[in-house]
Amino acid sequence: MTDLRQQALDYHEFPVPGKTAVCLTKPARTSKDLALAYSPGVAEPVREIASNPSDAYRYTNKGNTVAVISNGTAILGLGNLGPLASKPVMEGKALLFKHFANIDATDIEVKHRTTEEFINTVEAIADTFGGINLEDIKAPECFEIERELIERCAIPVFHDDQHGTAIVTAAGMINALEIQGKELCKAVFVCMGAGAAAIACMTMLVKCGAQRENIYMLDRQGVLHTRRDDMNEYKQLFANNTDKRTLQDVIAGADVFLGLSGPDLLTEEDIKLMADKPVIFACSNPDPEIKPELAHATRQDLIMGTGRSDYPNQVNNVLCFPFIFRGALDVRATRINDEMKIAAVKAIADLAKEPVPDSVLAAYEGVTEMKFGADYVLPKPMDPRLLSRIAKAVAQAAIDSGVAQLTELPDGYMD
Ligand SMILES: NC(=O)C1=CN([C@@H]2O[C@H](COP(=O)(O)OP(=O)(O)OC[C@H]3O[C@@H](n4cnc5c(N)ncnc54)[C@H](OP(=O)(O)O)[C@@H]3O)[C@@H](O)[C@H]2O)C=CC1
Ligand SMILES: CC(=O)C(=O)O
Ligand SMILES: [Mg+2]
């Protein structure tokens, strides 16, 4: 048993099992308190909400809550291990929502037979919450699930593995390519994986300026190409009219490798074939497509990122989801649209160029300097400025694009 394995199990088991609990925001000590909190007093907000549903934001915790919902079909890069096994990850997301953005998140693991049953289950409970963060639901079902739920729910529904990952990847990619002296619109991309995260990341990169014809994607069968007849409609959008079939065929001369697939799928020989000054984001969790030690030992001119906390350049949706929901909840956005996502990309990318506060350095043992460059293309999750920068940009974008129920930012918001 490795040290980290035992430490992780102990962390989850002691002093109480799990990572989250409920806390009270109102007194419940006296009979008067109970008469207000429960019967008879609770009847008053019930009547108010029955006659005006938006009063749920006024008298209940709805406006500061997010449901983190999974079916466990794509738990990190561990695969389809079922809803119950996904609970530690969902509790982990709830911990991050609370710690970084003071949002009260509840994890919900759904057992279901059909995609429709999952959608109906989530729709049925949606009004309880201010937002829904879908997590670790595999492609292609995730696309239909999210689309349907956005249609059916009056609150933001956001598949984190798609859009949280895409926002952070785009921010990191813009910065990494700038440092390498390359342009997004000219860069050649190889994306290993063609699932939830990969399709969303490449879609977002195209929105940010990457050229569709410069993108090669691969799944377990190899390169997505137009002569294949085994691809779903989402993969078809990224199929190229090409004779290239393997990773080795497409990685030769590529500027970027983006891994959203599984562990150890990229070799030293592969990265030797890439163009000068490549960018490698090997984002599979917990084990990346190539270990940073191996990549750095192979080439000196690359920028390397992973999804993990224990290497430089953590390309992980934790940099986005707590903060984008903070902004969306605070203006009661009914959805999280492209304008809000692009605002988040820009806020994250820009923050990486600013001097890093000492409090961030203190959270990273042994690190004495962090400065925009090859080992610092993205802000750190511990950076307290992420909250104000992303939430404010997102909330403003929600107002400007007409999906906020508030017409202006609250006075002094995030100042
Ligand atoms: N760093 C971050 O913030 C994030 C990282 N991720 C990581 O991305 C990975 C994928 O997650 P997600 O998109 O949600 O899962 P999905 O199940 O939706 O997609 C997985 C994709 O990876 C492909 N794949 C798996 N194994 C291989 C292989 N051996 N060779 C080629 N392709 C392979 C699958 O191919 P096929 O279609 O043929 O089955 C599929 O296209 C996970 O490792 C996850 O940890 C995800 C979200 C955020
Ligand atoms: C980070 C994350 O959401 C994942 O790996 O699935
Ligand atoms: Mg995930």
Side-chain angles (χ1 to χ4, degrees):
M1 213 183 282
T2 65
D3 194 37
L4 180 69
R5 177 170 187 263
Q6 193 54 53
Q7 281 178 31
L9 292 174
D10 289 349
Y11 174 89
H12 283 81
E13 186 172 0
F14 304 113
V16 291
K19 298 193 284 269
T20 59
V22 171
C23 74
L24 303 187
T25 60
K26 298 290 155 67
R29 284 183 300 275
T30 64
S31 65
K32 174 79 187 303
D33 292 338
L34 292 196
L36 297 175
Y38 195 42
S39 186
V42 73
E44 299 310 326
V46 168
R47 290 189 188 103
E48 295 299 312
I49 295 166
S51 63
N52 179 15
S54 75
D55 273 351
Y57 285 97
R58 190 164 173 195
Y59 297 119
T60 77
N61 63 12
K62 177 178 167 87
N64 197 44
T65 58
V66 166
V68 178
I69 307 186
S70 185
N71 59 5
T73 50
I75 308 176
L76 310 176
L78 304 172
N80 183 352
L81 301 179
L84 189 59
S86 77
K87 190 166 166 62
V89 177
M90 303 315 130
E91 281 189 8
K93 297 279 175 180
L95 174 149
L96 298 167
F97 267 116
K98 184 69 184 175
H99 183 69
F100 288 128
N102 198 25
I103 291 171
D104 295 311
T106 305
D107 64 292
I108 298 174
E109 292 76 27
V110 179
K111 194 154 72 174
H112 63 99
R113 281 160 299 195
T114 63
T115 299
E116 184 62 16
E117 196 174 83
F118 180 88
I119 294 167
N120 289 340
T121 304
V122 177
E123 182 191 6
I125 61 171
D127 283 350
T128 309
F129 303 98
I132 289 174
N133 184 83
L134 300 171
E135 191 69 45
D136 290 0
I137 299 171
K138 77 175 179 68
E141 295 81 357
C142 64
F143 301 119
E144 182 194 343
I145 287 171
E146 191 196 42
R147 190 175 56 237
E148 273 296 311
L149 285 169
I150 288 172
E151 266 312 294
R152 297 190 199 180
C153 299
I155 56 171
V157 176
F158 179 86
H159 184 198
D160 177 40
D161 298 286
Q162 290 185 58
H163 313 297
T165 315
I167 288 164
V168 176
T169 301
M173 194 62 70
I174 288 165
N175 283 347
L177 287 172
E178 182 183 320
I179 292 163
Q180 295 293 54
K182 300 194 182 207
E183 289 176 66
L184 192 62
C185 63
K186 294 195 182 139
V188 174
F189 293 81
V190 170
C191 180
M192 177 64 94
I199 297 274
C201 282
M202 299 324 294
T203 304
M204 174 60 87
L205 283 167
V206 169
K207 284 183 183 148
C208 292
Q211 296 302 301
R212 165 63 194 83
E213 60 272 21
N214 289 346
I215 295 172
Y216 294 93
M217 293 185 78
L218 300 98
D219 63 7
R220 287 174 221 266
Q221 311 310 318
V223 172
L224 306 190
H225 64 83
T226 48
R227 270 158 281 171
R228 277 178 58 174
D229 58 7
D230 60 344
M231 296 183 300
N232 61 47
E233 60 186 292
Y234 311 98
K235 289 181 181 178
Q236 280 170 21
L237 292 174
F238 285 96
N240 286 357
N241 186 3
T242 176
D243 293 331
K244 297 178 181 182
R245 296 288 179 265
T246 66
L247 175 60
Q248 290 67 38
D249 292 341
V250 289
I251 199 90
D255 299 294
V256 173
F257 172 88
L258 175 61
L260 292 156
S261 49
D264 301 319
L265 295 170
L266 186 69
T267 67
E268 300 137 274
E269 297 313 314
D270 297 329
I271 66 174
K272 282 181 192 160
L273 298 173
M274 295 182 75
D276 285 348
K277 299 192 162 201
V279 176
I280 299 178
F281 286 175
C283 298
S284 276
N285 287 309
D287 300 311
E289 284 75 5
I290 187 166
K291 290 184 181 54
E293 296 85 342
L294 190 55
H296 287 301
T298 308
R299 295 180 67 140
Q300 311 296 306
D301 62 343
L302 52 78
I303 289 182
M304 176 79 210
T306 70
R308 297 167 56 124
S309 306
D310 51 356
Y311 290 104
N313 296 331
Q314 183 176 19
V315 185
N316 191 301
N317 50 37
V318 65
L319 285 177
C320 174
F321 68 80
F323 315 112
I324 200 166
F325 268 101
R326 182 75 276 161
L329 291 176
D330 288 344
V331 293
R332 291 195 201 159
T334 53
R335 54 180 59 209
I336 294 176
N337 61 17
D338 274 356
E339 288 85 343
M340 295 157 79
K341 291 174 197 164
I342 300 283
V345 171
K346 195 165 170 350
I348 296 169
D350 288 351
L351 184 55
K353 296 183 174 172
E354 295 185 26
V356 178
D358 289 345
S359 66
V360 179
L361 283 177
Y364 290 83
E365 213 180 299
V367 180
T368 51
E369 196 193 37
M370 285 180 197
K371 196 168 156 216
F372 187 62
D375 280 339
Y376 183 80
V377 302
L378 282 166
K380 297 288 185 189
M382 307 299 173
D383 195 321
R385 299 168 301 177
L386 284 167
L387 177 60
S388 54
R389 300 295 174 83
I390 302 175
K392 196 166 187 172
V394 165
Q396 188 63 57
I399 292 171
D400 295 345
S401 61
V403 296
Q405 296 182 80
L406 303 193
T407 50
E408 53 188 43
L409 294 181
D411 268 355
Y413 183 63
M414 293 286 170
D415 285 345

